[in-house]
Amino acid sequence: MTMSTASVKSGWRDWRVVDVDNARWKSHDLFPQAACVDIQTIEPSEFEEAQRSPRTGSSLSALQGCDVSYLWRSYSHEWKGFLKHFKDVISTDCDVHFNNIVVRYSGCALLDAELSRRIVSTLREVKSIMEETPNARKFRRLADQWYNETGMLSMIHKKVMHPAYQRIIGMGKEALPFIFQELNKKHVHWIWALSAILDDDVAKPEDTLEEAVAAWLKWGKDNGYI
Amino acid sequence: MAISRRLPQLRENAFPDLYRTGYEVTSQEDDYQNCIAFAAGRPNGVWTPYAGNGYYWPRGLPRKTDVETFVKLYKLEAGYDPCDPSDEGEYEEGVEKVALYVDANNEVTHAAKQNKDGTWTSKLGDWEDVRHNSLEGVGGDAPAYGKVAKFLRRDQQRVRIEEPMKLP
């Protein structure tokens, strides 16, 4: 399938369509099965003008303030809820469909470049989650629960005693590739789980947290988990 | 990237009084620091009594979560003294204050530090830092931080940021 910029219809101004390649991502690589995944970007001055317009102003303002990736995290695996909320936020100018693994995003929504990048990033995450193995899906579900329910805690012993974290430890070495992915994303409190699963600690007692994480990341690379 | 002034909804929900009493987000999230180190003025570090390698707790200090232990921690690491019991956290020129929160079991859950305008700043676990108008903002039933059990103080002139101690 080819990407069709012709499907983008603003209908009320000559909005300049910026080639997505220039934004260093390709939306059609994301969902090759989709007829089109078009993101239209505009200059900041044009965006401000659109915000002042009674026709699009409120929906654009709502969209600009929306953290799309967080929206996805909130709904986790609830596809219908996510897509409904996504569509509500985007406003009726945009069309979002969910059909098997094809998420089609097209229409005449006018987005600034940063928001476009975030939407594509979120859809990429959605796709990768759809393709997850059962173990990966289990880890993701438990990790999301753990992040959401313990992220506000400062006492580490309370975080790691959370049932979701303990269930991940219970996955044993099957969890290691996913744990190292999270550790690589600066989610550092997985070092406790690594010690528990491997019954060892590559960090030293005198290490700072940065040093402990670096030691574990090196171990992960040396042992083929990263 | 610009910092959003408001927490994502799920996070704001953890602190039911935060929006009502007024707050703004002042940093991005960061796993490398917790509120205990943050309130002591340390730029990084996770100070926690029960944890493995990489986490910090002073040698010789009991690994406990009661207020008395945390009063000793702040005295040892940052030169804070307990406030008079009548002190309710009012701003005083030239004085830095920290508020220690406890849960229903009287275990310390959180520390907030006072700003020069009398507002408070809290690092919300691994989440963002927020400047909040009222101590009540991050208090309340779990997962919020409970209630303030103790205020600590130190003279601003004595502030000296040092790296956490390392074991020999």
Side-chain angles (χ1 to χ4, degrees):
Chain A
M1 295 289 183
T2 58
M3 186 174 161
S4 168
T5 54
S7 66
V8 179
K9 298 175 293 185
S10 70
W12 59 289
R13 269 192 66 90
D14 294 329
W15 299 106
R16 185 153 62 88
V17 179
V18 177
D19 183 350
V20 292
D21 288 341
N22 292 334
R24 285 183 283 185
W25 40 258
K26 294 181 178 181
S27 54
H28 56 291
D29 282 348
L30 184 60
F31 299 107
Q33 303 92 329
C36 60
V37 182
D38 292 340
I39 303 291
Q40 187 176 10
T41 57
I42 61 175
E43 292 296 307
S45 60
E46 293 174 318
F47 190 83
E48 288 169 10
E49 185 177 341
Q51 279 187 305
R52 287 196 294 271
S53 160
R55 180 175 176 275
T56 58
S58 59
S59 61
L60 281 172
S61 296
L63 194 56
Q64 195 175 36
C66 175
D67 183 338
V68 180
S69 61
Y70 182 75
L71 181 65
W72 164 242
R73 278 191 176 281
S74 299
Y75 280 97
S76 193
H77 294 85
E78 295 177 32
W79 294 96
K80 288 182 180 177
F82 167 71
L83 289 175
K84 180 178 183 301
H85 199 154
F86 187 85
K87 192 170 179 176
D88 287 346
V89 170
I90 296 289
S91 87
T92 54
D93 281 341
C94 178
D95 205 8
V96 181
H97 300 287
F98 175 58
N99 180 20
N100 295 326
I101 62 167
V102 178
V103 176
R104 177 179 173 184
Y105 171 74
S106 65
C108 56
L110 303 166
L111 313 174
D112 70 353
E114 169 60 17
L115 187 63
S116 301
R117 188 194 62 75
R118 284 158 54 194
I119 288 175
V120 169
S121 171
T122 301
L123 294 180
R124 183 178 290 125
E125 186 178 354
V126 169
K127 180 170 182 282
S128 70
I129 288 170
M130 285 295 290
E131 294 173 347
E132 282 178 341
T133 62
N135 269 340
R137 190 169 297 131
K138 179 180 179 182
F139 177 87
R140 169 58 44 207
R141 178 173 53 80
L142 292 169
D144 282 348
Q145 181 189 359
W146 182 69
Y147 285 133
N148 286 335
E149 295 179 8
T150 70
M152 76 296 285
L153 301 178
S154 288
M155 300 300 165
I156 304 306
H157 63 284
K158 292 196 172 179
K159 286 178 179 289
V160 302
M161 291 310 292
H162 188 276
Y165 194 91
Q166 290 295 311
R167 286 189 67 189
I168 287 173
I169 290 175
M171 290 171 69
K173 292 187 176 181
E174 297 287 341
L176 291 180
F178 315 119
I179 288 176
F180 278 108
Q181 283 178 18
E182 295 301 299
L183 196 60
N184 223 359
K185 289 190 272 187
K186 299 186 178 179
H187 293 305
V188 301
H189 304 308
W190 292 106
I191 60 176
W192 177 297
L194 290 172
S195 295
I197 290 170
L198 294 165
D199 194 22
D200 195 4
D201 198 342
V202 302
K204 302 182 188 75
E206 67 271 23
D207 279 351
T208 64
L209 197 50
E210 288 87 347
E211 290 166 342
V213 170
W216 274 112
L217 287 174
K218 181 179 183 307
W219 187 93
K221 285 176 185 165
D222 292 346
N223 288 275
Y225 288 107
I226 299 176
Chain B
M1 183 184 294
I3 295 171
S4 169
R5 292 295 177 140
R6 195 165 171 186
L7 292 166
Q9 192 63 51
L10 195 73
R11 295 183 180 186
E12 197 177 274
N13 290 348
F15 303 97
D17 293 322
L18 196 53
Y19 182 70
R20 178 180 61 79
T21 54
Y23 82 98
E24 65 173 353
V25 173
T26 56
S27 82
Q28 296 186 356
E29 61 182 43
D30 176 14
D31 283 15
Y32 282 94
Q33 185 188 45
N34 72 348
C35 64
I36 307 299
F38 173 82
R42 295 295 162 81
N44 53 37
V46 174
W47 295 4
T48 185
Y50 305 110
N53 295 343
Y55 297 96
Y56 180 69
W57 194 251
R59 173 181 272 189
L61 191 66
R63 293 187 178 275
K64 296 164 71 176
T65 55
D66 57 79
V67 172
E68 185 183 347
T69 300
F70 277 76
V71 169
K72 289 177 182 171
L73 171 72
Y74 275 89
K75 176 68 175 175
L76 179 68
E77 291 292 322
Y80 278 91
D81 292 306
C83 289
D84 187 271
S86 63
D87 193 317
E88 294 183 345
E90 303 90 351
Y91 177 71
E92 296 177 48
E93 188 70 34
V95 175
E96 290 190 345
K97 290 188 180 179
V98 165
L100 292 179
Y101 288 73
V102 295
D103 62 15
N105 298 319
N106 283 321
E107 292 187 72
V108 172
T109 56
H110 180 65
K113 70 176 180 181
Q114 194 173 44
N115 302 308
K116 288 182 179 177
D117 61 359
T119 63
W120 297 81
T121 298
S122 286
K123 180 165 191 342
L124 304 176
D126 298 329
W127 296 346
E128 297 89 338
D129 305 350
V130 296
R131 182 194 303 269
H132 46 107
N133 292 331
S134 163
L135 288 166
E136 185 186 353
V138 295
D141 295 337
Y145 297 135
K147 63 181 181 183
V148 175
K150 181 72 78 177
F151 290 104
L152 309 175
R153 60 182 289 150
R154 69 180 178 186
D155 294 340
Q156 265 178 342
Q157 301 89 307
R158 293 174 54 199
V159 173
R160 186 178 172 202
I161 306 298
E162 294 176 347
E163 288 302 308
M165 290 188 298
K166 283 197 171 187
L167 296 173

